[in-house]
Amino acid sequence: MIRLYQFPPTLKGTPNASPFCVKLECALRLSGLAYETELVPNPAAGPKHKVPFVEIDGERVGDSALILDLLKLRHGLDLDRGLNARQRAESHALQRMIEERLYWVMVYSRWMEPKGWDVIRPLFFAALPWPMRRLIPHMARKTARQKLDGHGIDRHTREEVYALGAHDLAALSAFLGDNPFLFGEAPTLADVTMYGFLVNIIGPDIASPLKDAALGHTNLVAHTERMGELFASTRLPRRFKAAA
Ligand SMILES: N[C@@H](CCC(=O)N[C@@H](CS)C(=O)NCC(=O)O)C(=O)O
């Protein structure tokens, strides 16, 4: 049995506030593999102190990319089986751009910007008992700033941050062109990845120049809607369960 651990659904407009959780769950749904979902509010529960993580055959594994490698090995999950070597390389580069750069612009828009913080603060920490509900958000925001600083994105001006994000979105839009999916007629892992991040940028009610830039690419919006329909129409997990 595959058990997927992810954040509880707190943020309206996206299946999960973590784009990595959406990516992994979408890959599982499109593959048709049976899985169960457990909801963990605290990523520290995972082997790498991040979500998503999974339990496969009794073993806990963290990181969506490593999990997908393992699912390919053990369960034959391969959304890229139709791609040639060059397309696989392109897919790899697109995913790394989305996850290692665009992601951080999204994190900046949520955690550093007052408009983002005002939305996520009451949602992400609602389950905490008083007085932790007052203290933890402040500490978590400080940690987020340290991570953004470590990555380097927070060393740029606000305008530069959003210009970098807009470049990534423009590259994705140009690559997609008029195709329904990034590599043609069928969704691949790069589509699943792009969906996880775009639905998190476009879906929630968090105004930002990043969201504006994404909404400016009609093909990216259409892709997100297309993937959202696939996500919703594919098999639902057998049960949702809150982790102890
Ligand atoms: N490379 C990881 C990234 C996962 C990740 O960054 N998850 C975030 C939520 S979107 C997290 O758990 N952050 C908690 C932390 O960094 O402490 C993956 O692909 O799964």
Side-chain angles (χ1 to χ4, degrees):
M1 174 50 70
I2 300 162
R3 185 164 295 140
L4 166 64
Y5 293 81
Q6 59 181 353
F7 283 145
T10 47
L11 194 57
K12 259 177 83 178
T14 173
N16 200 286
S18 162
F20 296 97
C21 291
V22 179
K23 164 194 165 184
L24 188 56
E25 184 159 28
C26 189
L28 281 165
R29 287 195 188 188
L30 294 194
S31 73
L33 284 176
Y35 68 100
E36 290 178 351
T37 307
E38 292 216 18
L39 307 177
V40 279
N42 186 357
K48 302 209 168 150
H49 294 193
K50 283 180 187 277
V51 290
F53 63 97
V54 292
E55 197 172 292
I56 306 176
D57 310 327
E59 183 191 353
R60 283 194 172 187
V61 185
D63 192 283
S64 61
L66 297 177
I67 294 166
L68 286 164
D69 284 348
L70 192 67
L71 289 173
K72 184 176 177 183
L73 200 70
R74 298 234 184 118
H75 295 277
L77 190 166
D78 185 6
L79 298 176
D80 291 347
R81 57 171 66 86
L83 302 187
N84 61 33
R86 185 186 171 91
Q87 289 171 323
R88 281 168 195 264
E90 288 169 341
S91 168
H92 180 80
L94 289 173
Q95 289 176 66
R96 297 289 72 77
M97 176 182 76
I98 294 169
E99 296 185 8
E100 308 298 341
R101 225 262 298 269
L102 184 60
Y103 169 65
W104 291 103
V105 181
M106 189 206 79
V107 173
Y108 176 93
S109 73
R110 283 185 183 177
W111 288 79
M112 296 301 121
E113 294 269 81
K115 280 183 185 163
W117 182 239
D118 287 348
V119 173
I120 65 165
R121 181 188 170 137
L123 299 176
F124 287 7
F125 305 100
L128 289 174
W130 187 262
M132 275 150 69
R133 207 178 325 136
R134 189 181 162 88
L135 297 174
I136 300 286
H138 176 70
M139 287 160 61
R141 196 180 196 198
K142 201 169 157 200
T143 306
R145 187 178 288 284
Q146 284 163 353
K147 287 179 186 157
L148 287 157
D149 182 70
H151 174 273
I153 198 90
D154 197 39
R155 300 180 190 203
H156 302 308
T157 65
R158 181 177 188 270
E159 289 67 32
E160 287 168 340
V161 171
Y162 286 121
L164 294 172
H167 283 153
D168 293 347
L169 292 167
L172 292 171
S173 174
F175 195 91
L176 178 63
D178 294 331
N179 296 314
F181 299 105
L182 287 162
F183 293 96
E185 297 300 316
T188 63
L189 187 52
D191 293 287
V192 160
T193 303
M194 187 162 90
Y195 169 60
F197 289 74
L198 286 183
V199 77
N200 265 289
I201 292 169
I202 293 172
D205 192 12
I206 299 177
S208 79
L210 185 67
K211 182 172 178 171
D212 291 344
L215 291 174
H217 296 289
T218 49
N219 63 344
L220 294 186
V221 175
H223 180 275
T224 307
E225 288 167 355
R226 201 171 293 126
M227 288 298 299
E229 277 160 26
L230 274 179
F231 183 84
S233 67
T234 40
R235 204 190 62 79
L236 288 165
R238 271 199 224 149
R239 66 192 161 97
F240 283 100
K241 184 171 132 187

